[in-house]
Amino acid sequence: MKILLVEDEAGLILTLTDRLRSEGFDVRSATDGERGLSYALAESFDLIILDVMLPKRNGLDVCRDLRQKNVTTPILMLTARGETLDKVLGLKLGADDYLTKPFEMLELLARIEALLRRSPNTNGNTPDAFRFGDVSVDFRRAEVSKNNQPVELSAIEFKLLQFLIENRGAVHSRDKLLDAVWGYDAMPTTRTVDVHVAWLRQKLEANPKHPQFIQTVHGLGYKFIT
Ligand code: CA
């Protein structure tokens, strides 16, 4: 597995490279946005870790440029504390996840693992776009629309929807959904799953009380069908 690390803090590059290599990853690093972009276009990577604040070209621009050039490699953005706007913008521009600095190494590894698991390069079942009913989902841009009107989903709602679509037809217990979608987050309960499913239905289903796509399987959990 090859990881491209685009980061300008020498200390962080050193720490991350050492740790990722010890986990068995092949790591290449770039210390500015322009170099990062050219490496990402020239070679294929399984994952890109991309800092937002970078010399020459910032991480958001690099992310947008890569997606515009149809590079679908999963991107994990690193943002500084409080850069909420960057997180939202990063996801809109096609990043797959973000992590706020400073972060625990174990959390970074958990995110990497989750992204690689979801990556089309490893499981082959993530389409770029998916349609059901009046809804269309653009996975690369992390955008959802219903009747051609944009629908605002939180990052977790989007992840939940993506997981359900990728694994459509199968029944998922609440525990399995927690593990797959929330995974590394702080102690959500199975009730959290119900609440987010309800929100997704509210936003996407024609009749949320009688959902056509996100269905409850009594006693077992949920499944997505088309
Ligand atoms: Ca930086």
Side-chain angles (χ1 to χ4, degrees), residues 133-201:
D134 300 326
V135 177
S136 81
V137 184
D138 184 331
F139 290 109
R140 286 197 303 121
R141 292 171 178 273
E143 283 174 3
V144 177
S145 60
K146 188 180 173 190
N147 293 320
N148 297 318
Q149 297 297 312
V151 176
E152 291 293 328
L153 294 189
S154 70
I156 222 72
E157 286 165 1
F158 190 84
K159 273 189 187 174
L160 176 60
L161 179 65
Q162 180 166 11
F163 181 84
L164 289 171
I165 290 173
E166 283 175 0
N167 300 282
R168 54 191 176 276
V171 180
H172 309 290
S173 68
R174 290 169 176 81
D175 282 328
K176 184 174 162 195
L177 290 172
L178 273 179
D179 191 44
V181 178
W182 280 262
Y184 38 75
D185 261 359
M187 293 184 287
T189 66
T190 49
R191 174 79 188 124
T192 310
V193 176
D194 298 335
V195 169
H196 282 80
V197 165
W199 284 339
L200 276 183
R201 284 173 173 162

Side-chain angles (χ1 to χ4, degrees), residues 5-9 13 30-37 48-63 77-78 83 86 101:
L5 171 62
V6 191
E7 168 62 63
D8 58 325
E9 287 171 46
I13 295 176
T31 51
D32 67 65
E34 269 176 20
R35 204 167 295 183
L37 182 63
I48 300 170
I49 300 173
L50 183 59
D51 188 27
V52 170
M53 296 295 284
L54 288 167
K56 294 190 180 169
R57 190 187 288 255
N58 74 50
L60 295 171
D61 288 344
V62 172
C63 180
M77 306 232 38
L78 302 180
E83 290 173 344
D86 285 347
K101 292 178 181 179

Side-chain angles (χ1 to χ4, degrees), residues 48-131:
I48 300 170
I49 300 173
L50 183 59
D51 188 27
V52 170
M53 296 295 284
L54 288 167
K56 294 190 180 169
R57 190 187 288 255
N58 74 50
L60 295 171
D61 288 344
V62 172
C63 180
R64 190 199 50 219
D65 291 354
L66 287 174
R67 294 311 188 221
Q68 275 174 357
K69 292 181 193 299
N70 291 323
V71 174
T72 56
T73 313
I75 296 178
L76 172 63
M77 306 232 38
L78 302 180
T79 67
R81 193 178 288 284
E83 290 173 344
T84 318
L85 186 65
D86 285 347
K87 292 175 190 172
V88 176
L89 204 54
L91 291 174
K92 275 211 185 296
L93 293 174
D96 298 273
D97 201 358
Y98 55 80
L99 197 53
T100 306
K101 292 178 181 179
F103 49 81
E104 296 291 328
M105 194 61 81
L106 285 178
E107 182 163 26
L108 176 74
L109 292 172
R111 304 269 178 132
I112 289 175
E113 203 177 292
L115 285 174
L116 290 176
R117 210 165 40 213
R118 271 170 30 198
S119 159
N121 299 333
T122 50
N123 61 22
N125 62 1
T126 310
D128 279 356
F130 188 82
R131 290 191 65 91

